[in-house]
Amino acid sequence: MKPTLLVLAAGMGSRYGGLKQMDGLGPHEETIIDYSIYDAVRNGFGKVVYIVREYFLGQFKELVSRKYSHVKCTDGSPLEFVFVTQELHKIPAQFTLNPERQKPWGTAHAVLMAKDVIDGPFAVINGDDYYGKESFRVLGDWCRAHEGSEGRYCIVGFELGNTLSESGGVSRGICHYDAARHLTAIEEHLNIALEADGNVYGDNSANGENHVLLDRKALCSMNMWGFTPDYFAKSEAIFHSFLEKNISELKKEYYIPYAVDCMIKEGSASCDVLPTPSRWFGVTYKEDRPGVVAKFAELVKEGVYPSPLY
């Protein structure tokens, strides 16, 4: 069984100043998604589903067909690609969209757009985050081990100290879990940074405590998930309830952690927390770009990736 990789690439990049998904950051203009797909394929994934916006769908398809037309899976079969669009109007028919709304409905809504093209275990990642090959190994192994399962999900947990930015404070969701390493909650912290005393501090958004000392070994979410396909029906029901309360709102979003938390609380699912030794990096602001370019150049120099990648 070859799991599916679902790539969230519909973000508009307003803070970055352009489409991060298409920005060439590797030595031969490779994008972050290129490296994610390279790592995923080598860890047994056989299908890639892109969630994009309608206005750059054509350009994205052309780019993918040009880059990946000769890429093979580990068993020698061609790598399969599917494209799905996320748009504001793609909500259940009984709801009327607020005409003033411009903000997308969020990551859990984006995942729902793929419900008709995925029928087995699948992974979800951000298109503008670098996760590392070890993260795809643990996620691929989990997906293959849960073929035919229901209500069994997972999140890849990165050590907080491996997710900090050199450009300033970041927001992270710290994972809480029980003795069986089943997720119990994700606690949001803001303005997380390594300070002069060598410790990591952040602001706890849940209780309003500012400048809280954080454990740099704590596992946090970088939006890298694994799901069995029953997730779609469960998430769709929760989205319906979400819209009943928020259909008139202009900025409320339906996020994956919220959907998973609802399922855990109602007892319809459990979520394994999978530690990874990988170091995360990504681009949020334009200022992040030179550092990411340098990191990919170093990974190529170390022999982690070939150059060109494809």
Side-chain angles (χ1 to χ4, degrees):
M1 188 277 292
K2 291 180 289 188
T4 295
L5 179 68
L6 191 157
V7 181
L8 301 179
M12 294 180 286
S14 55
R15 289 179 293 177
Y16 186 65
L19 290 175
K20 295 180 283 186
Q21 310 93 317
M22 298 183 182
D23 194 3
L25 301 167
H28 288 266
E29 296 298 306
E30 293 92 348
T31 65
I32 291 182
I33 295 176
D34 291 341
Y35 287 99
S36 290
I37 291 176
Y38 182 92
D39 287 334
V41 169
R42 275 149 189 78
N43 284 285
F45 287 80
K47 178 179 177 180
V48 179
V49 176
Y50 289 105
I51 308 294
V52 298
R53 298 294 296 276
E54 189 69 45
Y55 77 93
F56 63 83
L57 174 61
Q59 184 183 0
F60 209 90
K61 276 187 173 181
E62 190 277 330
L63 189 67
V64 167
S65 64
R66 176 162 45 86
K67 281 190 175 183
Y68 304 120
S69 59
H70 302 297
V71 175
K72 302 292 185 183
C73 300
T74 51
D75 64 359
S77 62
L79 183 61
E80 182 182 353
F81 292 94
V82 179
F83 301 85
V84 182
T85 58
Q86 179 190 21
E87 302 296 339
L88 286 176
H89 66 272
K90 292 188 173 183
I91 56 177
Q94 63 266 45
F95 295 101
T96 301
L97 181 68
N98 185 332
E100 295 183 15
R101 185 178 178 104
Q102 297 182 346
K103 198 171 186 63
W105 284 111
T107 53
H109 174 253
V111 173
L112 279 175
M113 299 300 97
K115 66 178 182 177
D116 295 328
V117 298
I118 295 176
D119 59 5
F122 66 100
V124 176
I125 64 168
N126 290 335
D128 53 4
D129 288 336
Y130 173 80
Y131 295 102
K133 63 180 181 179
E134 283 300 308
S135 302
F136 285 98
R137 181 188 62 78
V138 299
L139 191 49
D141 288 347
W142 184 93
C143 286
R144 282 183 291 275
H146 290 85
E147 184 178 13
S149 299
E150 289 191 5
R152 292 293 305 277
Y153 311 144
C154 74
I155 182 171
V156 177
F158 288 73
E159 290 187 7
L160 181 62
N162 286 341
T163 73
L164 303 179
S165 170
E166 298 169 2
S167 301
V170 296
S171 298
R172 298 286 181 258
I174 295 178
C175 298
H176 294 272
Y177 45 87
D178 61 21
R181 215 187 285 273
H182 290 153
L183 185 71
T184 56
I186 296 179
E187 188 176 43
E188 286 292 328
H189 289 72
L190 312 175
N191 304 315
I192 301 172
L194 179 66
E195 300 193 7
D197 65 359
N199 291 316
V200 176
Y201 297 89
D203 302 335
N204 189 323
S205 63
N207 58 25
E209 291 183 14
N210 295 329
H211 211 65
V212 179
L213 177 65
L214 299 173
D215 180 2
R216 63 194 304 159
K217 294 288 188 180
L219 300 181
C220 65
S221 167
M222 298 308 297
N223 213 40
M224 190 178 201
W225 302 83
F227 295 111
T228 48
D230 58 285
Y231 167 87
F232 291 115
K234 293 183 176 71
S235 181
E236 201 162 34
I238 296 168
F239 185 47
H240 193 284
S241 299
F242 173 88
L243 289 177
E244 287 178 341
K245 299 175 183 176
N246 299 294
I247 188 61
S248 297
E249 295 286 339
L250 299 181
K251 294 186 177 180
K252 288 273 190 179
E253 294 186 60
Y254 180 46
Y255 293 118
I256 297 172
Y258 172 80
V260 172
D261 185 61
C262 288
M263 296 174 203
I264 291 172
K265 287 178 177 175
E266 69 187 18
S268 64
S270 64
C271 184
D272 299 324
V273 180
L274 308 179
T276 176
S278 294
R279 182 174 295 274
W280 169 95
F281 58 84
V283 285
T284 300
Y285 302 97
K286 205 69 175 177
E287 293 76 15
D288 296 325
R289 191 180 190 280
V292 172
V293 169
K295 287 183 175 70
F296 279 129
E298 183 64 25
L299 288 169
V300 168
K301 184 178 178 181
E302 293 171 356
V304 177
Y305 298 106
S307 185
L309 194 59
Y310 295 107

